[in-house]
Amino acid sequence: MIGYLTGKIISKKPTQVLLDVNGIGYLINISINTFEKLPADNLQVSLYTYLNVQENALTLYGFSALAEKEMFELLISISGIGPKLAQGVLSGIQIGELREAIKSANTSRIIAVPGVGKKTAERLIIELRDKVEAISIESDSGSSASYSVTRDAISALTSLGYNAKTAENAVRKALSKNPSSLIEDVVKNALAVLNS
C-alpha cells in the first residue's frame, strides 16, 4: 500500500497532479483543497496517499493533510460513496466545516456540495457523527482563522447577496493572503477580493 509520496511536481490541474518520485511518474487524483495548497511546478511536495484497488485499475488519491485523508477514508466507508464522490465532497467543502456540519446534523450545508443529495447527506450524518470527532483538524496552511470565523464570514457575504460558493472562494483567498481571526478583517479582505 502506498501511503505517502514525496516528489517533484511535473504538472498539475485542479483534480490531478503528476509527481516525479525518483524517476517514476505517479498520477494522483486530488481535491481542489489540496490543489490550492500545492507549490509551483518543479518544486518538491509531500502528499498522503490512498491506493484504491479495483479489478481493472489502481488509482491513487493524494491529500495535503492527514485529516483530509482520514475524512476521505470515512466517506468511502459509507455505502454508495465511492472515491470519486468522496474527492468531490472534499473539493466542495473544507474538512473542518464538513466535520462541524456532520456533528451538528446540518444537512443543508452538506447538500450544497455538488453531487450530494438529501439521502446521501442524511446517511453521512447518521454513519459518521460519532466517527468525525477522531479526526484532528490542523489549521489550514496560511490561515490561523478558526472555522467558525470562516463560516461567519461566508454567512456575512451571503447576506450581502453573494452566492455561497462565491463567498467561500473569496473568504479562502482572503485568508490565504491575510490570515486573521477577526471576522471584520476577513469580511473586509474578502470584499476586496470580490471587487478586485
Side-chain angles (χ1 to χ4, degrees):
M1 180 66 81
I2 301 167
Y4 190 82
L5 286 172
T6 297
K8 186 172 72 172
I9 296 174
I10 302 302
S11 66
K12 61 183 178 181
K13 56 185 182 180
T15 57
Q16 283 185 330
V17 61
L18 181 60
L19 214 58
D20 177 347
V21 181
N22 299 323
I24 299 171
Y26 289 90
L27 188 61
I28 306 168
N29 292 297
I30 55 173
S31 69
I32 290 171
N33 289 325
T34 290
F35 174 77
E36 289 173 348
K37 293 180 179 107
L38 291 178
D41 288 359
N42 295 316
L43 292 178
Q44 287 274 118
V45 70
S46 295
L47 294 173
Y48 293 96
T49 59
Y50 176 87
L51 180 63
N52 185 53
V53 180
Q54 291 176 309
E55 270 183 43
N56 57 355
L58 298 174
T59 312
L60 263 179
Y61 291 85
F63 314 93
S64 62
L66 186 56
E68 188 180 20
K69 180 184 178 184
E70 290 171 352
M71 184 64 84
F72 177 86
E73 289 173 335
L74 283 180
L75 288 170
I76 62 172
S77 72
I78 296 170
S79 167
I81 296 184
K84 278 286 180 201
L85 180 54
Q87 179 185 4
V89 169
L90 294 173
S91 291
I93 187 170
Q94 294 285 339
I95 304 157
E97 197 179 346
L98 177 58
R99 187 174 85 160
E100 290 308 311
I102 291 169
K103 279 167 51 182
S104 62
N106 184 351
T107 14
S108 59
R109 178 58 188 107
I110 299 170
I111 291 170
V113 176
V116 178
K118 192 167 195 265
K119 284 186 178 174
T120 304
E122 287 168 351
R123 205 172 329 125
L124 266 176
I125 289 165
I126 291 166
E127 293 192 33
L128 299 185
R129 186 181 281 168
D130 298 331
K131 297 178 183 175
V132 292
E133 197 61 52
I135 295 178
S136 59
I137 306 291
E138 329 70 32
S139 61
D140 283 345
S141 62
S143 171
S144 59
S146 70
Y147 288 102
S148 61
V149 169
T150 304
R151 190 176 58 241
D152 291 346
I154 293 168
S155 177
L157 291 174
T158 53
S159 68
L160 291 171
Y162 295 98
N163 75 44
K165 195 67 191 162
T166 303
E168 186 178 339
N169 288 337
V171 168
R172 272 198 220 168
K173 284 181 186 167
L175 286 170
S176 67
K177 290 179 185 172
N178 303 303
S180 174
S181 57
L182 296 174
I183 180 104
E184 302 83 21
D185 293 343
V186 177
V187 172
K188 186 175 75 177
N189 294 334
L191 284 169
V193 167
L194 288 164
N195 294 321
S196 63

